[in-house]
Amino acid sequence: MKTIILLSLAAVTVLNAGSIDEAFVAGKASGQIRAAYTSIENDAGGKSYGTALGGILKYETAEWNGLKAGVGAYVSQKLHAVSGNADKNELNTELFDINGKSYAYVGEAYLDYTMDDLSLRVGRQQIDTPFADTDDIRMHPNTFEAAIATYSAIEGTTLVGGYVTRWAGYDSEGTVSKDKFKKLGGNESNGVAVVGIVNESVENLALQGWYYSIDEVSDALYTDATYTIPFSETIALALSGQYANFSEEKASGMDGSVYGIGAAFNVSALTLGAAYNKGSNDEGKSVSNGFGGGPYLTSMEEWTIDGMNDVKAYQLSAGVDLANAGLDGLTLTALYGNFKSDTDGTKVTEFDLIASLELSEAITGDISYAMIDDKYDNADGSGGDVGYDRFLVRLNYNF
């Protein structure tokens, strides 16, 4: 895959030469400038905060004979004056690298080839599938080193297939920083083969099915369906169902099944929702979000069913679009989630308040406050309280 990345970077230079000079000249720069602040106050004690300015600067050539290339720099610069002191354990590192420092890396670098209804992208890229997704929840989206093919010749149907080897981003950080690409599934894994189908050929019905073979970890299946019932131009009901199954390899611990149902009722500017997930596992096993935020209907701003044994979870939500009140582009949402594992003797609840702002295509932002309550003070797996309050502000300028 390192060779693929070098080819992607080289292609930007190659497209500047000779007969294909126009592809380079007609290319375009795009990106996003983002300012972000986050703070966490732990129920067990301690508060940390951090502020960063950064974003994405990307260049993509124009298409030449179906081929184009792109490269994107991902940057996060710490603003020291409004960030906590690391020596006093007051620095929140979610916006920085694993050591709490500023970072910059090549988040995207790819070759893209399109012919009629077939497209192929190879290199570092953004991917959005149920168990491998961008999950843009802090400074940058997750990106992946992959070869992904998409075929859309069948009306209302998209076929996807490919192989993913490494990833970087907020969700990828463990013992290796979020700005370093590392193997999916751990150092012993060779990557993930993925195939999927998305179908919207039936009016008001959306279906998708996916299969992932995660080397040395698990085989995973995922499917969901959403059917929308329109009662009028301003009233509709959306019903959803989902199923996931993990079959572990070599005692990875990723094993079990998930069932989910949900409903969202929309009346003009108001949307009310409810969802339920149930996980079923053997002792000591759990289901997973995969590589990203996960697809589950009950997922909250912070907490999901990931890592919980025999979990039962439900979510209630309410959202209102304030355009009718003269506040165009402002949406307010409140969510409550309840996650319980009788097997582990754990229970976690979360309450979220979210304000989303879209002043224009160029200027967007969001503010969220999440309150996570570890009801039995034991949800970290070793008898520790994982409850906390998290506040996040992000402002974006898109160009």
Side-chain angles (χ1 to χ4, degrees):
M1 184 58 73
K2 290 183 179 179
T3 302
I4 292 172
I5 301 304
L6 291 174
L7 287 173
S8 300
L9 291 168
V12 176
T13 304
V14 170
L15 289 176
N16 189 32
S19 62
I20 53 177
D21 180 66
E22 291 183 3
F24 184 85
V25 174
K28 64 178 182 179
S30 63
Q32 179 184 81
I33 299 173
R34 171 173 288 174
Y37 168 85
T38 184
S39 67
I40 288 181
E41 185 169 0
N42 297 299
D43 292 351
K47 181 177 180 179
S48 61
Y49 63 100
T51 308
L53 179 66
I56 301 172
L57 178 60
K58 180 176 177 179
Y59 178 81
E60 187 175 70
T61 68
E63 186 175 297
W64 178 77
N65 287 344
L67 180 69
K68 61 183 178 181
V71 60
Y74 286 41
V75 179
S76 180
Q77 175 63 47
K78 183 197 295 185
L79 302 182
H80 294 268
V82 279
S83 295
N85 188 320
D87 294 334
K88 297 180 180 179
N89 295 319
E90 295 174 345
L91 177 63
N92 185 308
T93 63
E94 292 181 333
L95 306 177
F96 316 117
D97 71 11
I98 199 169
N99 297 311
K101 300 183 181 297
S102 305
Y103 64 76
Y105 67 102
V106 179
E108 296 179 65
Y110 57 81
L111 288 172
D112 189 289
Y113 179 71
T114 301
M115 181 180 65
D116 298 326
D117 297 303
L118 177 66
S119 65
L120 173 66
R121 178 166 291 190
V122 180
R124 293 182 178 177
Q125 58 188 282
Q126 295 187 18
I127 296 172
D128 278 303
T129 75
F131 287 133
D133 66 280
T134 53
D135 195 31
D136 186 10
I137 58 174
R138 290 298 185 269
M139 279 301 289
H140 297 109
N142 301 323
T143 58
F144 302 81
E145 291 185 358
I148 300 293
T150 304
Y151 183 69
S152 56
I154 305 171
E155 184 176 358
T157 301
T158 301
L159 303 176
V160 180
Y163 202 85
V164 190
T165 57
R166 301 201 302 166
W167 68 322
Y170 177 75
D171 293 313
S172 75
E173 185 170 86
T175 58
V176 181
S177 187
K178 60 178 72 70
D179 59 314
K180 308 295 183 184
F181 279 80
K182 67 282 295 180
K183 288 186 176 182
L184 279 82
N187 290 332
E188 301 303 318
S189 176
N190 290 318
V192 180
V194 55
V195 293
I197 180 171
V198 179
N199 183 273
E200 297 180 343
S201 60
V202 178
E203 186 177 7
N204 299 324
L205 178 64
L207 302 166
Q208 62 175 332
W210 296 83
Y211 169 75
Y212 301 79
S213 179
I214 311 169
D215 182 52
E216 301 293 334
V217 179
S218 179
D219 290 335
L221 292 169
Y222 178 81
T223 185
D224 68 32
T226 299
Y227 183 66
T228 302
I229 306 171
F231 298 106
S232 69
E233 291 185 358
T234 58
I235 301 175
L237 174 66
L239 303 174
S240 300
Q242 64 181 180
Y243 171 75
N245 178 266
F246 299 87
S247 179
E248 71 175 356
E249 298 178 7
K250 297 191 176 181
S252 67
M254 190 186 296
D255 191 78
S257 299
V258 179
Y259 304 86
I261 56 173
F265 185 61
N266 175 251
V267 182
S268 188
L270 177 66
T271 301
L272 301 175
Y276 176 79
N277 278 125
K278 182 181 186 302
S280 176
N281 313 92
D282 292 332
E283 184 177 354
K285 312 298 181 182
S286 62
V287 295
S288 171
N289 284 337
F291 308 100
Y296 303 116
L297 295 172
T298 57
S299 293
M300 301 289 289
E301 283 287 285
E302 297 287 294
W303 206 265
T304 76
I305 65 174
D306 176 81
M308 299 187 73
N309 297 321
D310 292 327
V311 62
K312 295 179 180 178
Y314 67 84
Q315 180 195 91
L316 301 174
S317 63
V320 59
D321 185 340
L322 296 179
N324 291 337
L327 300 173
D328 288 345
L330 179 61
T331 302
L332 301 179
T333 305
L335 304 99
Y336 173 80
N338 185 301
F339 303 81
K340 186 177 182 181
S341 170
D342 290 330
T343 301
D344 292 339
T346 59
K347 181 179 179 180
V348 175
T349 63
E350 178 174 342
F351 180 66
D352 297 335
L353 293 172
I354 305 167
S356 300
L357 179 66
E358 187 175 349
L359 293 179
S360 65
E361 290 185 3
I363 301 175
T364 61
D366 57 272
I367 301 172
S368 64
Y369 186 60
M371 293 163 278
I372 295 85
D373 186 3
D374 184 354
K375 291 296 185 180
Y376 305 145
D377 299 336
N378 66 347
D380 73 348
S382 58
D385 183 1
V386 301
Y388 61 94
D389 291 357
R390 193 269 293 146
F391 181 64
L392 175 69
V393 180
R394 302 189 303 175
L395 297 175
N396 309 308
Y397 176 71
N398 308 294
F399 60 92

